[in-house]
Amino acid sequence: MPGIVIVGAQWGDEGKGKITDLLAEHADAVARFQGGNNAGHTIVRGGEEWKLHLIPSGILYPGKCCVIGNGVVIDPKVLIEELNALRARRIDVSGLRISANAHLIMPYHLLLDSAGEAKLGSLQIGTTRRGIGPCYADKAARLGIRVQDLLDEKILKKKIVAAMEPKRLSLRPFEKDPALDLHTMTEEYLTYGHRLEQHIADTAKLMWELLDDGKKVIFEGAQGAMLDIDHGTYPFVTSSNPLAGAACVGTGVGPKAIDEIWGISKAYTTRVGAGPFPSELHDEMGEMIRARGGEFGTTTGRPRRTGWLDLVALRYAARLNTMTSLVITKLDVLSGLDRIQVCTSYRGVEGPVFEDFPYHQTVLHHAEAELTELRGWEEDLGECRAISDLPDAAREYLEFIAEHAGAPVALIGVGPGREQVLWTDAGLQTLVAPSGVPLGDPAGG
Ligand code: GDP
Ligand code: IMO
Ligand code: MG
């Protein structure tokens, strides 16, 4: 710290919410920098489960400064529902700050997301249908509506008209949809503005003040490296950059603010939605991982596709992020297997072997995983609280991952609970406060 970025190192759902919540205890602020409510971040504390979509995973600490940065796309209806649900569970949300420059998801974005998918037919991306792509498209086209526009009726109305004008043709099938009526939409969004006003702020300035003051800030990524619009498995990606580099632009701070970059990966691989997945399992083993890992989407409930850990993709994610440490979650899910396989390279159609992630879409779509077999272990890991509690084979597996990915392992997840996390020496060494006190709680408190 002061600036630590938490990013997904796979195709999302790696456990970013859990790790952010864990580290947030000792941080002064947590900031989201991209994505929107396509994200679903789970935190389990004392047997209670929390699912967050837009609000940073630091919100469970009373009054903690939680920033929704300018790079996030916000569906204000969803945000208000999320705030209300937290308040109903007696969570103090007074620390939430929303960037006035963040873009808003509008009713037409939701309709266009679904219509776009329907049009693609069998070539669907499998989006979360939350309007993410169309909203980022409007941002790039400079037709976006921003949080600050919610506070001025005249400007809001004018911008809605301007944004809808070039979409007339594609919105024609929804002509009669009351959600698209200009008056209704303006009134609805003005109401959202009133409800959110107390949280709207110049968050880039706030971030600068925090960091300048030596405060510790966690940048919480959504999605994962392989869903990155530039470097992921395009076009089967999301519409933002879930990489560490985006933490800066998405909150308005310079790269020097970042000290640590932690990539989160499961001990195996999952993916929701369509697109290439070389190490995917289509057999009973895949089913078993899905069932044991509870691999169903936090946002859409869709079953996640499952496969062995893909070290080609993980090494790529480590490089794209200049990852300083790795966090391996869900190691417990692999207990009880005789042998564990890992993907260490890809085989192309005509035989070439790829150690590095191929940039060419056609190559990637035909790539097959070359697997290396490692020893499995029988023991249940849920009660392990130190690295020394792990079976030898589990430790060997972690060492193999670190060596192939090119980053040391800092934390290991052995269950969904916040106490089910093991700190390695590397992890403890990186996150040490000036006082010499570890910033995590290695005792598992
Ligand atoms: P995120 O989007 O990266 O925050 O991850 P999700 O919340 O979508 O999905 C991760 C799921 O795995 C959640 O249900 C977590 O409660 C669960 N989880 C996180 N870490 C572990 C772990 O180490 N072991 C097990 N068994 N479950 C975990
Ligand atoms: P968290 O933050 C997993 C996937 C969708 C789809 C693609 C594009 O919880 O890890 P979009 O709605 O973004 O246009 O969909 O991206 N996707 C995710 N997959 N976890 C997520 O978020 C995701 N957010 C989007 O399934 O394949
Ligand atoms: Mg998720």
Side-chain angles (χ1 to χ4, degrees):
M1 301 225 188
I4 174 165
V5 183
I6 303 292
V7 279
Q10 301 175 301
W11 277 274
D13 302 326
E14 301 90 346
K16 298 174 292 291
K18 167 181 157 164
I19 301 302
T20 303
D21 166 65
L22 186 78
L23 298 184
E25 186 174 357
H26 301 276
D28 299 288
V30 182
R32 276 277 306 268
F33 56 89
Q34 45 69 236
N37 61 309
N38 46 351
H41 295 182
T42 317
I43 302 168
V44 178
R45 274 191 186 190
E48 254 194 283
E49 192 175 64
W50 308 80
K51 288 181 190 289
L52 300 168
H53 299 284
L54 273 165
I55 299 179
S57 301
I59 201 72
L60 301 187
Y61 301 95
K64 179 83 73 186
C65 177
C66 284
V67 173
I68 300 183
N70 53 278
V72 175
V73 287
I74 300 175
D75 185 330
K77 182 168 184 267
V78 173
L79 178 55
I80 289 166
E81 281 166 7
E82 198 166 326
L83 276 167
N84 288 342
L86 286 168
R87 286 194 191 104
R89 291 173 77 177
R90 297 183 190 285
I91 299 297
D92 168 8
V93 294
S94 61
L96 181 71
R97 294 292 174 272
I98 305 164
S99 168
N101 286 354
H103 281 249
L104 293 169
I105 294 180
M106 305 298 291
Y108 43 85
H109 292 140
L110 295 170
L111 294 170
L112 292 173
D113 196 352
S114 293
E117 283 284 88
K119 221 181 258 172
L120 282 170
S122 62
L123 297 174
Q124 295 203 353
I125 292 158
T127 74
T128 59
R129 301 186 180 223
R130 300 299 191 263
I132 307 294
C135 183
Y136 276 118
D138 267 357
K139 175 179 176 175
R142 289 153 297 184
L143 287 170
I145 296 169
R146 299 189 293 172
V147 169
Q148 57 186 280
D149 301 326
L150 291 174
L151 306 177
D152 186 317
E153 182 174 353
K154 251 167 98 180
I155 290 181
L156 179 64
K157 205 173 245 167
K158 243 165 105 176
K159 290 199 174 180
I160 295 177
V161 171
M164 287 182 69
E165 168 58 30
K167 301 179 182 62
R168 263 193 310 177
L169 199 63
S170 34
L171 288 175
R172 192 167 288 160
F174 310 106
E175 242 165 16
K176 299 220 158 63
D177 193 323
L180 294 190
D181 174 71
L182 179 64
H183 179 73
T184 315
M185 207 188 312
T186 313
E187 286 302 310
E188 188 188 343
Y189 275 66
L190 283 172
T191 312
Y192 297 149
H194 289 309
R195 299 226 183 121
L196 294 174
E197 193 166 2
Q198 55 181 313
H199 298 286
I200 301 174
D202 179 353
T203 53
K205 182 159 173 278
L206 169 66
M207 293 290 289
W208 185 82
E209 284 165 358
L210 285 164
L211 291 158
D212 189 53
D213 218 15
K215 297 279 199 277
K216 301 174 198 85
V217 179
I218 298 177
F219 298 81
E220 180 186 11
Q223 291 82 50
M226 307 310 292
L227 289 171
D228 184 273
I229 189 163
D230 287 284
H231 301 279
T233 51
Y234 192 89
F236 300 97
V237 293
T238 191
S239 298
S240 69
N241 295 106
L243 295 175
C248 295
V249 218
T251 55
V253 306
K256 283 197 165 177
I258 312 289
D259 301 277
E260 289 289 325
I261 297 156
W262 284 22
I264 322 296
S265 167
K266 288 179 193 176
Y268 48 93
T269 307
T270 65
R271 167 165 209 172
V272 250
F277 181 174
S279 67
E280 184 166 13
L281 287 163
H282 298 281
D283 56 7
E284 276 171 19
M285 182 61 78
E287 284 289 341
M288 195 277 286
I289 293 177
R290 185 175 308 113
R292 288 182 57 171
E295 297 299 351
F296 297 88
T298 309
T299 298
T300 57
R302 290 179 288 177
R304 294 176 183 145
R305 299 158 66 192
T306 53
W308 296 117
L309 183 62
D310 182 342
L311 287 173
V312 180
L314 190 58
R315 196 158 55 236
Y316 180 59
R319 167 158 68 78
L320 291 170
N321 283 295
T322 42
M323 212 183 268
T324 56
S325 289
L326 257 175
V327 174
I328 303 297
T329 58
K330 298 197 143 184
L331 189 63
D332 52 299
V333 174
L334 297 184
S335 285
L337 301 181
D338 232 17
R339 317 289 299 169
I340 293 176
Q341 317 252 30
V342 262
C343 167
T344 42
S345 57
Y346 297 155
R347 197 175 47 255
V349 245
E350 274 150 31
V353 169
F354 297 88
E355 306 276 341
D356 288 319
F357 196 79
Y359 68 86
H360 204 290
Q361 199 183 331
T362 314
V363 174
L364 181 64
H365 283 233
H366 293 101
E368 280 181 33
E370 299 246 282
L371 300 170
T372 301
E373 202 169 73
L374 301 173
R375 269 204 307 152
W377 60 88
E378 266 307 313
E379 298 86 332
D380 184 353
L381 307 185
E383 298 300 319
C384 292
R385 291 296 175 270
I387 303 293
S388 54
D389 296 340
L390 291 176
D392 288 347
R395 276 205 299 268
E396 280 164 27
Y397 185 52
L398 293 169
E399 279 160 23
F400 191 89
I401 296 171
E403 196 186 314
H404 278 75
V409 176
L411 285 180
I412 300 133
V414 291
R418 82 192 296 274
E419 69 290 351
Q420 290 175 301
V421 162
L422 318 180
W423 286 80
T424 66
D425 287 342
L428 288 171
Q429 274 160 20
T430 11
L431 289 196
V432 167
S435 60
V437 178
L439 289 168
D441 186 352

